[in-house]
Amino acid sequence: MAKKSLNVNGKRVSISYDDPQMPLLYALRDNLGLHGPRFGCGNGQCGACTVHIDGTAVRSCVTPIDTVTDVVTLEGLGSSQKPHFVQKAFIDEQAAQCGYCINGMIMESAAFLAKNKKPSEADIKNALANNLCRCGTHARIVRAVKRASAQA
């Protein structure tokens, strides 16, 4: 059994694991009880498990635990008392329906807006193209990211 020390959402935690290739997602959900990142496809294709590593949106379901030292999840981005401006924009635009994709949409959007402060609608659609939403809230999600860009 190996142990790994990680900085998760600004807090130092220790994870025990048997397999160095264990996905980061499993450690976040199973070991730490975090619910923001979700298991979707397990292949890094849907985006439900997205987290930030060094400010970059990364699929945690295909990121081995051994390769990570610092991670920010949806829980570390903001809180219900003090939401991140992207979270606030998603709330204001009522951009969630079933809510399953929203973790990935918000995390991808926050990383995107950190690099592109004034995106066009086409830029937003392109940035979120690899995040799947089956409920059809795409128009509200794009509006939410556009709203958030005014505060980026």
Side-chain angles (χ1 to χ4, degrees):
M1 176 87 50
K3 274 196 174 281
K4 172 118 178 145
S5 181
L6 296 171
N7 183 10
V8 178
N9 299 329
K11 295 178 186 165
R12 187 58 76 194
V13 298
S14 183
I15 305 286
S16 297
Y17 58 94
D18 291 325
D19 180 4
Q21 294 300 305
M22 177 178 86
L24 173 61
L25 176 64
Y26 296 178
L28 296 173
R29 289 188 64 84
D30 299 341
N31 295 59
L32 300 177
L34 298 172
H35 300 291
R38 306 202 185 212
F39 184 87
C41 66
N43 294 313
Q45 296 176 348
C46 73
C49 67
T50 303
V51 298
H52 290 173
I53 297 176
D54 296 325
T56 301
V58 174
R59 306 299 203 237
S60 65
C61 73
V62 293
T63 302
I65 186 74
D66 246 14
T67 64
V68 178
T69 54
D70 293 295
V71 62
V72 175
T73 69
L74 186 67
E75 293 90 346
L77 194 63
S79 66
S80 57
Q81 297 81 19
K82 188 175 179 184
H84 184 274
F85 67 90
V86 173
Q87 292 170 313
K88 176 87 169 82
F90 271 68
I91 293 165
D92 291 345
E93 291 294 335
Q94 298 180 14
Q97 191 160 323
C98 84
Y100 210 82
C101 72
I102 292 303
N103 171 78
M105 293 291 189
I106 290 172
M107 297 304 285
E108 192 74 46
S109 298
F112 167 68
L113 289 175
K115 293 178 177 122
N116 186 341
K117 307 275 188 221
K118 299 296 175 197
S120 67
E121 186 171 317
D123 293 336
I124 295 167
K125 288 179 179 179
N126 188 49
L128 297 176
N130 292 321
N131 289 72
L132 303 180
C133 171
R134 302 207 190 285
C135 294
T137 60
H138 295 90
R140 285 183 272 165
I141 289 169
V142 170
R143 280 196 312 266
V145 177
K146 194 67 174 165
R147 177 187 287 245
S149 73
Q151 298 175 16

